[in-house]
């Protein structure tokens, strides 16, 4: 239901009397009489920035928080999420935002139900409509936070060729895109053909080699904190590094503790700083950090081929049949981290120790040490990562038209859609743990050669010894052995979505204030997942440990919508939907809204809704994904070990899950004063309450709940083997609530200025609260939190855009950003005299994170070309090359030093970028 602000709705405003279907409703009407707010990005907005990825552009909207990009998803190895671009509204998570293409669902790109936005044909997008409120009664499951609807220009006639390219001011992040579109009408305009082909390539940039990432800026547990001395429990700051490893290996315990290996037989003694678990402050922090810091990919490799074809034929003037096919192939490759290893045992007779470091071997002999334990960030090893390929097919066949019923003309449509996603999920440079254990136990054979100890008793076992000491790295033969000769963890998955739907809408009868409009219809949908994994990849790997996900469910739905004019200027809208899931049974959703034109300059609007999000295929049927991680077991815990511990994290599905339910409402006003022609503004307050929310407590939360809070139900999920932490099991359940509140402000103004026309458009969202309560520990409010997290959202987010058009030039300036925030709303900032720190009211030395404002600019030149129109556009994003604000990530997680020392989901980590776009249309 479209916002009543003319400027951003260029396509609608061209003909306000035309009948269109506006997002949030199935009723055909104009876009100026609906009670639910919608933010709209039109062709002019998209063309002004010519984004490399349309998802990056849409994510600039203030109402969008909690999205993911191919860069931020580079750590999604075991769940195969690396490379996906997603959209999330209201800080509720991407799973609670429904993505549509021309009002229809699109098949997911992952088992978690996420639609990769970049599978949508960018050059055919006419506008993007974002409804910021519940819409399950209109569209079904997932529309809890709202709907993002990509409207395609399926009526395009002519030929359009375009190309754009971009690069950062640092000479990296190079990308280019080529696209061609052709639309033709034949047989007296009864047959319409539309084709689009596009290719996109983005260079991979390894490592986060930006100066701002060299500060050693992290969040750690304060080593001076004892709960009684007034010190804060957490510290945020620079000059911090790991305490347990170096690039070539650090002896971490015993009489030789602090000795580290440099390579070429050289060693040195580490100057320790103040130890804080796996971290240390000061000392040789740069030495310990060097091999690990910033090893995550700054910009992933991204290659996409997209094809789109539509054929429409007017059987009669009132009936069109159509067929539509789209194909998107994407390849994304990135590195996760230069994975550190701790607790590595090197025996006294290790051949590489004896041959390269005889002094250390002699010291071990003198002190009767049978072994040393080292920590290493594995210098010389290639960085583990992923290389994922996804192919998304979408077929739609249907018909639409009008028919006379009940004395009036009714619109109808029916279609069948088949969506198929085929994924090839492959990890790279991931070792097989058993082979690594055999290879690192290297000894001298009788002939003086270096072999695996296991080879002495099993000469044909193929083991190749590996050198884990020093910075030169192992031989290629040793790497081939631990990486299973290139036979890396690999999984093939096929996700299928079938949809059949039919809708009819029109006017039922006439009341004194106008026609009573309706829409009704029925839908059937099937979601299913299957796959193939070699059994050798089920377990035993550093990452991956893939298993076959299998399962399906069917959905049957029927809905009815009514729009009733109560009196002149007052309209009531209502919708209801009944849905049956084969996994959980029946559930109902509904929505009631109203709009009232008090006088010409002011309209009030509001609605209430009851919405759902059904569990996705991953939450229901995940066979178990495993990944290596680390947690901190608190000192004094009743556990075999304490401190920072590595383990394998297992995540399983739960077929007994039921849909989440949400109750939401919005109320707002639209102001269009006659004394200021061209100006309009809106204000909308929203409230969404989710019950039975699906989620899993994290591994660290599991440890804290068991050992800090003494909740025994979580302890069996923590498993120890031979006194060492082995695995932590995580399973989704319906167990929490989430409540979010806030409001949106939007304003537009258009007026002649000098020889041209000026258009201004501003949007802002204030996140008042976003509280999650798992019913186990304590509520957490993520509104105003700027540290990394799925549900984190800024206090204020805004986007201001100005267009100045003076034929044939258009200049665009954009200011976008967000205000300052915190690490935790309940956290207490103090340096001394701190109160007692608890899990909820945690004390920290600095609870402030600065906000940021970014400026973008573009200039477009229109010219005549080839009997058509051409455009040449120059764009600069992050015009001032603003560096990201440092954000202290931690204290748990073995991957923290590898990532950017900021919240890369919120701050720009690439820097200033330049783009050039050219387009010819005729």
């Amino acid at each position: 239901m479209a916002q009543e602000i003319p400027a951003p709705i260029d396509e609608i405003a061209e003909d306000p009397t035309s009948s269109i279907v506006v997002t949030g409703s199935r009723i055909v009407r104009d876009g100026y009489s609906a009670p639910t707010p919608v933010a709209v990005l039109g062709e002019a907005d998209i063309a002004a920035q010519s984004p490399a990825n349309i998802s990056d552009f849409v994510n600039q909207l203030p109402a969008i928080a909690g999205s993911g990009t191919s860069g931020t998803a580079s750590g999604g190895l075991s769940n195969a999420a690396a490379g996906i671009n997603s959209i999330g509204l209201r800080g509720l998570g991407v799973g609670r935002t429904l993505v549509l293409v021309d009002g229809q669902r699109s098949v997911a790109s992952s088992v978690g139900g996420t639609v990769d936005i970049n599978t949508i044909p960018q050059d055919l997008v006419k506008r993007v409509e974002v409804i910021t409120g519940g819409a399950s009664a209109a569209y079904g499951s997932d529309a809890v936070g709202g709907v993002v609807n990509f409207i395609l220009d399926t009526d395009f006639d002519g030929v359009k060729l375009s190309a754009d390219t971009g690069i950062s001011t640092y000479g990296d992040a190079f990308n280019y895109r080529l696209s061609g579109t052709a639309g033709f009408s034949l047989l007296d305009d009864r047959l319409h053909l539309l084709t689009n082909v596009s290719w996109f390539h983005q260079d991979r940039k390894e490592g986060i080699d930006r100066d701002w990432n060299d500060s050693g800026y992290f969040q750690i547990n304060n080593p001076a904190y004892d709960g009684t001395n007034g010190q804060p429990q957490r510290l945020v700051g620079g000059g911090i590094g790991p305490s347990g490893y170096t690039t070539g290996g650090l002896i971490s315990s015993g009489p030789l503790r602090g000795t580290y290996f440099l390579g070429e037989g050289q060693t040195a003694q580490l100057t320790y700083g103040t130890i804080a678990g796996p971290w240390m402050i000061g000392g040789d922090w740069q030495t310990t950090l060097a091999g690990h810091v910033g090893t995550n990919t700054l910009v992933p490799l991204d290659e996409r081929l997209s094809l789109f074809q539509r054929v429409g034929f007017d059987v009669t003037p009132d009936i069109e049949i159509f067929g539509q096919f789209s194909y998107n192939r994407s390849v994304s490759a990135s590195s996760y981290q230069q994975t550190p290893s701790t607790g590595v045992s090197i025996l006294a007779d290790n051949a590489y120790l004896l041959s390269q470091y005889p002094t250390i071997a002699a010291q071990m002999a003198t002190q009767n040490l049978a072994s040393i334990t080292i920590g290493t960030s594995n210098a010389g090893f290639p960085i583990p990562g992923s290389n994922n390929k996804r192919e998304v097919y979408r077929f739609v066949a249907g018909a639409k038209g009008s028919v006379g019923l009940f004395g009036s003309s009714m619109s109808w449509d029916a279609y069948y859609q088949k969506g198929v996603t085929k994924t090839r999920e492959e990890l790279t440079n991931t070792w097989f743990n058993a082979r690594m254990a055999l290879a690192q136990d290297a000894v001298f054979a009788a002939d003086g050669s270096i072999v695996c100890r296991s080879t002495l008793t099993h000469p044909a076992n193929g083991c190749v010894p590996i050198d884990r000491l020093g910075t030169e790295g192992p031989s290629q033969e040793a790497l081939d052995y631990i990486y299973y000769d290139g036979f890396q963890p690999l999984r093939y998955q096929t996700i299928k979505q079938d949809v059949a739907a039919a809708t009819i809408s029109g006017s039922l009868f006439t009341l004194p204030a106008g026609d009573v409009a309706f829409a009704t219809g029925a839908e059937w949908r099937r979601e299913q997942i299957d796959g193939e994994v070699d059994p050798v990849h089920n377990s035993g790997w550093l990452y991956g440990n893939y298993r076959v996900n299998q399962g399906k469910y069917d959905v049957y739905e029927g809905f009815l919508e009514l729009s009733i004019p109560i009196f002149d200027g007052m309209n009531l809208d209502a919708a209801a939907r009944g849905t049956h899931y084969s996994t959980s049974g029946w559930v109902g959703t509904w929505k009631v809204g109203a709009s009232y034109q008090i006088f010409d300059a002011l309209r009030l609007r509001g609605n209430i809704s009851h919405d759902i999000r059904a569990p996705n295929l991953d939450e229901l049927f995940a066979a178990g994904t495993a990944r290596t991680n680390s947690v901190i077991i608190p000192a004094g815990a009743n556990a075999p070990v304490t401190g920072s511990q590595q383990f394998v994290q297992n995540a399983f599905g739960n077929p007994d899950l039921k849909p989440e339910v949400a109750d939401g409402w919005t109320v707002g006003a639209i102001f269009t004063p006659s004394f200021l022609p061209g100006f309009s503004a809106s204000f909308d307050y929203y409230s969404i309450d989710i019950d039975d929310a699906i989620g899993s407590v994290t591994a660290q939360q599991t440890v804290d709940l068991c050992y800090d809070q003494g909740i025994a139900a979580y302890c069996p999920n923590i498993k120890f083997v031979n006194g060492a932490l082995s695995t932590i099991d995580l399973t989704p359940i319906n167990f929490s609530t989430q409540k979010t509140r806030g409001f949106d402000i939007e304003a537009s103004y258009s007026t002649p200025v000098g020889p041209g026309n000026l258009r201004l458009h501003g949007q802002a969202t204030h996140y008042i609260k976003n509280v999650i309560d798992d019913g186990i520990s304590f509520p957490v409010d993520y509104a105003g939190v700027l540290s990394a997290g799925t549900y984190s959202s800024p206090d204020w987010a805004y986007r201001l855009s100005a267009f100045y058009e003076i034929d044939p030039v258009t200049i665009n300036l954009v200011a976008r950003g967000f205000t300052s925030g915190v690490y935790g709303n309940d956290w207490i900032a103090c340096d001394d005299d701190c109160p007692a720190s608890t899990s909820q009211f945690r004390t920290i030395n600095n609870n402030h994170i600065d906000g940021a404002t970014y400026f973008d600019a573009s200039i477009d030149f229109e010219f005549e070309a080839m009997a058509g129109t051409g455009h040449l556009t120059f764009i600069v994003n992050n015009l001032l090359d603003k560096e990201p604000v440092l954000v202290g990530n931690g204290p748990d997680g073995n991957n923290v030093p590898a990532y950017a020392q900021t919240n890369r989901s919120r701050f720009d980590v690439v820097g200033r970028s330049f783009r050039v776009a050219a387009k010819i249309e005729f």
Side-chain angles (χ1 to χ4, degrees):
M1 298 178 184
Q3 193 75 283
E4 300 192 53
I5 294 176
I9 315 178
D10 299 324
E11 294 75 22
I12 297 174
E14 289 174 0
D15 186 5
T17 63
S18 64
S19 293
I20 63 170
V21 179
V22 287
T23 303
S25 173
R26 301 299 183 103
I27 294 176
V28 178
R29 66 175 114 185
D30 65 60
Y32 290 87
S33 57
T36 305
V38 167
V40 178
L41 293 172
E43 279 185 294
D45 297 278
I46 299 171
Q49 289 193 325
S50 295
N53 302 293
I54 195 168
S55 61
D56 294 342
F57 177 64
V58 176
N59 280 329
Q60 293 181 8
L61 285 174
I64 292 176
S67 303
T69 68
S70 58
T72 60
S74 57
L77 302 186
S78 299
N79 63 4
I84 289 180
N85 292 262
S86 59
I87 287 180
L89 282 163
R90 302 296 191 206
L92 296 175
V94 297
R96 298 188 182 115
T97 298
L98 179 59
V99 176
L100 302 175
V101 180
D102 284 334
Q104 300 168 350
R105 287 179 180 266
S106 184
V107 63
S109 297
S110 74
V111 68
T114 304
V115 175
D116 187 350
I117 303 306
N118 289 326
T119 61
I120 298 168
Q122 179 169 326
D123 286 274
L124 288 178
V125 175
K126 183 164 57 174
R127 66 181 183 271
V128 183
E129 298 178 352
V130 181
I131 179 171
T132 52
S136 291
Y139 291 105
S141 174
D142 304 340
V144 172
V147 176
V148 181
N149 192 9
F150 292 84
I151 310 298
L152 305 184
D153 187 7
T154 55
D155 295 325
F156 176 78
D157 267 312
V159 175
K160 179 168 56 177
L161 303 175
S162 62
D164 58 69
T165 185
I167 194 170
S168 82
T169 194
Y170 302 96
D172 51 33
F174 173 75
N175 61 78
Y176 65 89
R177 185 165 58 91
L178 305 172
S179 179
T181 304
F184 300 98
S185 295
L186 305 170
L187 302 178
D188 296 326
D189 292 336
R190 294 178 64 187
L191 177 66
H192 187 68
L193 306 175
L194 178 64
T195 300
N196 172 260
V197 180
S198 67
W199 167 258
F200 174 80
H201 172 87
Q202 176 177 269
D203 282 356
R204 179 173 177 172
K205 173 57 180 175
E206 283 300 324
I208 307 172
D209 61 342
R210 298 291 193 260
D211 291 344
W212 52 263
N213 204 55
D214 295 335
S215 302
Y217 197 90
F218 302 106
Q219 179 184 159
I220 66 172
N221 287 316
N222 182 2
Y225 172 78
D226 66 8
T228 63
N229 60 0
Q231 289 282 306
Q233 184 185 10
R234 291 277 174 86
L235 294 179
V236 171
I240 297 172
S243 64
Y245 55 84
T246 61
T247 55
L250 169 70
I251 300 177
S252 54
S253 61
L256 300 181
R257 177 178 178 267
T259 300
Y260 63 96
F261 300 89
L262 295 170
E264 298 182 353
Q266 301 297 309
T267 62
Q269 188 67 30
L270 186 73
T271 300
Y272 281 97
T274 304
I275 302 297
W279 303 96
M280 69 179 187
I281 306 169
D284 291 336
W285 66 271
Q286 291 172 309
T287 298
T288 60
L289 195 60
H292 193 194
V293 65
T295 50
N296 183 250
T297 300
L298 178 68
V299 179
L301 168 72
D302 194 356
E303 290 185 341
R304 298 192 308 271
L305 171 66
S306 297
L307 306 174
F308 180 91
Q309 177 70 57
R310 189 181 190 276
V311 179
F313 180 71
D314 294 335
V315 179
T316 72
D318 297 324
I319 299 175
E320 180 196 23
I321 59 173
F322 64 90
Q324 186 172 297
F325 167 75
S326 63
Y327 169 78
N328 182 279
R329 186 193 70 202
S330 65
V331 175
S332 180
S334 58
S335 295
Y336 172 40
Q337 64 163 333
Q338 185 74 60
T339 307
S341 302
T342 56
V344 177
S345 179
I346 303 296
L347 298 181
D349 61 349
N350 183 279
Y352 295 108
L353 175 69
L354 293 169
S355 60
Q356 299 177 30
Y357 301 96
T359 301
I360 301 299
Q363 291 175 356
M364 291 176 63
T366 300
Q367 301 184 53
N368 295 317
L369 296 178
S371 65
I372 53 174
T373 300
I374 68 167
T376 173
S377 55
N378 296 304
F381 286 69
I383 304 173
S386 63
N387 185 3
N388 293 333
K389 177 182 178 182
R390 298 181 182 88
E391 294 180 288
V392 179
Y393 304 80
R394 187 168 179 259
F395 309 84
V396 183
K400 60 183 179 179
S402 60
V403 62
L405 290 174
F406 309 115
S408 63
S409 178
M410 303 284 181
S411 298
W412 61 270
D413 68 84
Y415 71 91
Y416 170 75
Q417 173 187 299
K418 178 75 172 183
V420 179
T421 296
K422 295 184 176 182
T423 66
R424 184 182 188 275
E425 303 159 2
E426 183 182 27
L427 298 192
T428 55
N429 306 322
T430 294
W431 64 64
F432 191 60
N433 294 327
R435 287 196 171 192
M436 173 62 90
L438 293 176
Q440 71 187 28
D441 189 11
V443 296
F444 285 113
D447 61 0
S449 62
I450 300 177
V451 298
C452 302
R453 190 185 304 274
S454 60
T455 303
L456 298 178
T457 53
H458 299 85
N461 69 352
C463 181
V464 179
I466 196 165
D467 183 5
R468 302 211 67 181
L469 301 174
T471 57
E472 292 90 350
S475 67
Q476 187 59 52
E477 293 77 13
L479 292 174
D480 291 342
Y481 174 70
I482 64 170
Y483 296 145
Y484 227 106
D485 301 313
F487 188 54
Q488 291 284 277
L490 176 66
R491 176 170 60 187
Y492 294 93
Q493 291 199 112
T494 300
I495 304 166
K496 295 181 181 180
Q497 181 189 73
D498 294 87
V499 181
T503 303
I504 187 168
S505 63
S507 298
L508 288 174
F509 51 87
T510 302
L511 294 176
D515 292 342
V516 174
F518 83 101
T520 187
E523 300 179 10
W524 166 81
R525 178 163 49 98
R526 172 173 290 172
E527 306 272 1
Q528 54 187 319
I529 178 72
D530 202 351
E532 178 184 347
V533 178
D534 191 301
V536 75
H537 293 145
N538 290 161
S539 62
W541 296 84
L542 180 64
Y543 303 115
N545 300 301
Y546 291 138
R547 298 183 183 182
V548 175
N549 295 309
Q550 292 179 311
K552 68 177 181 179
Y553 63 86
D554 292 306
V555 187
Y556 298 89
E557 302 182 273
F559 69 91
L560 172 66
E561 293 187 51
L562 295 173
S563 180
I564 306 170
I566 305 301
F567 52 82
D568 188 27
M570 176 69 176
N571 208 74
L572 180 69
D573 292 71
R577 175 180 291 255
T579 305
H580 182 271
Y581 287 91
S582 59
T583 53
S584 55
W586 282 98
V587 63
T589 56
W590 52 266
K591 187 168 189 173
V592 178
S595 63
Y596 177 38
Q597 190 81 41
I598 298 179
F599 47 86
D600 288 345
L602 182 64
R603 172 176 290 174
L604 302 180
R605 63 184 175 191
N607 66 82
I608 57 175
S609 65
H610 182 73
D611 305 287
I612 63 167
R613 182 186 81 86
N616 58 48
L617 292 168
D618 184 57
E619 291 166 333
L620 289 168
F621 306 118
T625 56
R627 60 182 290 258
T628 301
N629 203 347
S630 68
V631 292
I632 298 174
I633 300 177
N638 183 22
V641 290
T642 60
S644 179
Q645 302 294 325
Q646 286 191 341
F647 70 101
V648 175
Q649 176 175 300
N650 290 323
F652 301 93
N654 180 3
D656 295 326
L657 291 171
K658 59 184 180 179
E660 303 175 342
V661 295
D663 293 297
W665 57 273
T666 64
V667 61
I670 302 163
F671 184 52
T672 53
S674 58
F675 61 81
L676 187 59
F679 176 82
S680 54
S682 67
F683 173 92
D684 291 281
Y685 180 92
Y686 68 87
S687 170
I688 303 172
D689 291 352
I690 304 173
D691 290 319
D692 294 326
I694 299 169
S696 302
V697 297
T698 67
Q700 186 62 54
Q701 286 174 325
T702 301
V703 169
D704 293 342
L705 289 166
C706 174
Y707 297 117
D708 271 349
Q709 301 182 38
I711 301 176
Y714 286 87
C715 297
N717 293 334
I718 307 170
K719 297 178 173 62
F720 297 87
V721 175
N722 297 324
L725 179 61
S726 174
T727 60
I728 297 179
D729 295 338
L730 308 177
T731 303
I733 53 175
N734 294 96
F735 75 113
S736 66
T737 64
Q738 187 164 359
K739 301 179 186 296
T740 182
R741 308 283 188 272
F743 58 80
D744 301 314
I745 301 173
E746 187 165 0
S748 292
Y749 181 57
S750 179
T751 184
V753 175
N757 188 63
L758 176 67
R759 290 191 292 121
L760 303 175
H761 182 212
Q763 297 166 298
T765 295
H766 177 36
Y767 294 88
I768 298 173
K769 73 175 183 177
N770 187 15
V771 177
I772 295 179
D773 186 354
D774 59 18
I776 301 168
S777 51
F778 51 84
V780 178
D781 185 1
Y782 290 96
V785 173
L786 288 185
S787 55
T790 301
Y791 305 109
S792 298
S793 52
D795 186 22
W796 282 89
Y798 50 87
R799 186 180 190 271
L800 309 174
S801 177
F803 283 90
Y804 185 66
E805 299 166 337
I806 176 170
D807 192 37
V809 177
T810 300
I811 299 172
N812 174 237
L813 295 175
V814 173
R816 53 185 171 88
F818 45 91
T819 56
S820 299
V822 296
Y823 288 93
N825 279 302
D826 292 332
W827 292 16
I828 301 168
C830 56
D831 290 314
D832 50 36
D833 291 329
C834 295
S837 185
T838 67
S839 297
Q840 180 176 4
F841 301 103
R842 196 180 302 280
T843 54
I844 187 171
N845 67 319
N846 180 10
N847 195 30
H848 178 81
I849 302 173
D850 285 340
T853 299
Y854 299 100
F855 296 95
D856 308 322
S858 70
I859 182 169
D860 175 81
F861 299 92
E862 182 177 324
F863 56 90
E864 295 182 359
M866 301 173 62
T869 302
H871 287 266
L872 184 62
T873 310
F874 300 91
I875 308 107
V876 182
N877 292 319
N878 192 355
L879 183 66
L880 302 181
D881 194 26
K882 185 176 181 63
E883 293 184 349
V885 173
L886 295 180
V887 176
N889 300 313
D892 58 294
N894 73 343
N895 54 11
V896 171
Y899 283 114
Q901 292 166 37
T902 185
N903 178 1
R904 67 183 300 170
S905 297
R906 183 55 62 181
F907 295 94
D908 180 1
V909 298
V910 174
R912 182 193 298 119
S913 62
F914 303 92
R915 300 193 60 75
V916 179
K919 179 176 68 175
I920 297 178
E921 185 175 332
F922 52 90

